[in-house]
Amino acid sequence: MTDNSIRLDHVVLWVRDPVASADFYEKTLGMEPLRVTEFAAGTASFPSVRLNDETIFDLAPLPLAARMDAVPGAVESAGHPVNHVCLSLPGEDFDALRARLEERAVPVSDFSYDAFGARGMAKRSFYFRDPDGNIFEARHYD
């Protein structure tokens, strides 16, 4: 990838309880929570979690939808999660994530093999939901 390539900056997920969601993403996926204290104090509209150095997930509370009027029809998007978000991890981290999900009794799908993605064919992948019903795919290429 070159420095001027298009990159994913953030994904906004509609959630019922942003603090609980941040806790889920931190403890289950190992993502760094951002602005949780500020959100709880009422000085930030929503918290976020850091996926990597360049990408975050914003955890938007459902009542925020009423203020989403920049694009026609955006208000109606609250409660409609994306189809799924795919996370690519190294093999060891992939196995550790699945173990953490199972420890927390989060249902996971069976493994899929040789699924096509941004980096070619992934060796294994599986799906799971966050507490708000957003679907994630975890995969590894190595």
Side-chain angles (χ1 to χ4, degrees):
M1 224 183 250
T2 61
D3 288 340
N4 64 350
S5 64
I6 294 174
R7 293 181 169 96
L8 181 63
D9 184 83
H10 70 276
V11 173
V12 177
L13 300 173
W14 292 115
V15 300
R16 289 183 302 274
D17 183 340
V19 173
S21 292
D23 183 68
F24 172 84
Y25 287 103
E26 178 183 20
K27 291 185 176 144
T28 304
L29 295 167
M31 295 180 179
E32 174 192 359
L34 306 169
R35 303 182 337 146
V36 175
T37 303
E38 294 88 338
F39 172 74
T43 60
S45 299
F46 52 85
S48 303
V49 289
R50 181 162 297 287
L51 175 67
N52 58 39
D53 288 341
E54 298 180 342
T55 309
I56 61 174
F57 291 163
D58 292 334
L59 306 173
L62 290 171
L64 188 62
R67 298 187 352 218
M68 301 300 294
D69 58 3
V71 176
V75 172
E76 290 82 27
S77 74
H80 297 279
V82 296
N83 178 273
H84 75 277
V85 175
C86 182
L87 306 173
S88 173
L89 303 99
E92 281 185 23
D93 294 342
F94 174 88
D95 292 328
L97 169 60
R98 186 165 178 111
R100 285 192 306 275
L101 289 165
E102 290 171 345
E103 286 169 10
R104 293 176 66 99
V106 175
V108 295
S109 72
D110 291 335
F111 287 115
S112 296
Y113 300 92
D114 300 321
F116 180 77
R119 295 173 48 202
M121 301 303 281
K123 288 190 177 185
R124 293 182 298 166
S125 65
F126 67 89
Y127 294 85
F128 64 95
R129 290 183 187 269
D130 75 0
D132 291 283
N134 295 300
I135 299 171
F136 287 84
E137 177 183 1
R139 62 171 47 196
H140 75 94
Y141 288 93
D142 57 352

